[in-house]
Amino acid sequence: MREVKVEQLTLEAYKPFGTYANLINPTDEKLGAAPVEFFRDQLQMEVSGNNSYSYSCCRVQKRENIIDVLEYHTGCGEVVLPLDQDILLQVAPATASENDIPLDKMRVFYVPKGTAITIKAGVWHWGPFATEDTPANILINLPERTYANDCVVKELAAEDYIKINF
């Protein structure tokens, strides 16, 4: 079985897969001062066409830290925002074929709660992993109905499973 080590989330390390912003503890440029501060343009996501964006909650229960399923979206990126606990997010580079999953390039990032992170179109990923025994509630931003019309899901063969060292 392959293994992948969890990495600290940094802009440089995550750059090939997207970007992120900590929305709960921002350090970005702001407009205004307390009691009303506005931290502008913290996170941008590439958009094509006239898609309607939808916000959904993904709730993940604590499970074995084994990557056994992956997915990607061809026509859009995705925003992931853990609301109530830190999560582990697995990603692998986009490929030209749904049958060519770069398992040897899989990376797993520790994402602190309150940190919004984007996943570029085509990047392999799946439901994040909870880091605590309670369920993790994660805000997801995608064009409406992406799960129904632009989602390629692949279950891995047992010999291709990847264990996350955390």
Side-chain angles (χ1 to χ4, degrees):
M1 178 185 304
R2 296 171 196 243
E3 292 188 12
V4 62
K5 185 179 177 196
V6 174
E7 301 176 49
Q8 288 298 319
L9 183 64
T10 67
L11 286 172
E12 187 62 35
Y14 195 76
K15 187 175 182 178
F17 307 103
T19 187
Y20 67 90
N22 186 326
L23 302 177
I24 293 176
N25 297 303
T27 58
D28 302 344
E29 179 181 345
K30 66 180 175 180
L31 301 175
V36 178
E37 299 171 307
F38 178 68
F39 294 87
R40 65 182 185 88
D41 302 328
Q42 288 186 272
L43 191 66
Q44 292 78 39
M45 187 166 157
E46 298 172 5
V47 178
S48 63
N50 293 321
N51 291 319
S52 172
Y53 276 78
S54 177
Y55 293 85
S56 302
C57 182
C58 177
R59 178 173 292 146
V60 295
Q61 304 284 333
K62 183 74 172 170
R63 66 189 194 272
E64 189 174 8
N65 288 337
I66 301 288
I67 300 168
D68 56 359
V69 179
L70 293 166
E71 73 173 10
Y72 70 87
H73 314 291
T74 299
C76 67
E78 178 173 340
V79 175
V80 175
L81 172 59
L83 299 173
D84 51 8
Q85 69 172 266
D86 303 344
I87 61 170
L88 304 178
L89 178 67
Q90 69 279 29
V91 288
T95 55
S97 165
E98 67 183 57
N99 297 315
D100 180 26
I101 305 173
L103 298 175
D104 59 328
K105 295 182 180 166
M106 180 67 58
R107 294 175 72 179
V108 177
F109 291 92
Y110 186 93
V111 181
K113 69 181 175 183
T115 302
I117 190 165
T118 66
I119 300 171
K120 292 180 179 179
V123 168
W124 290 94
H125 64 285
W126 183 246
F129 290 83
T131 58
E132 299 175 16
D133 291 334
T134 57
N137 294 292
I138 303 157
L139 182 69
I140 303 293
N141 176 232
L142 287 165
E144 188 175 10
R145 296 192 45 77
T146 297
Y147 58 88
N149 58 34
D150 182 15
C151 189
V152 175
V153 178
K154 291 290 186 176
E155 292 188 25
L156 301 179
E159 63 269 14
D160 290 330
Y161 286 7
I162 299 173
K163 180 181 178 183
I164 300 171
N165 290 326
F166 177 63

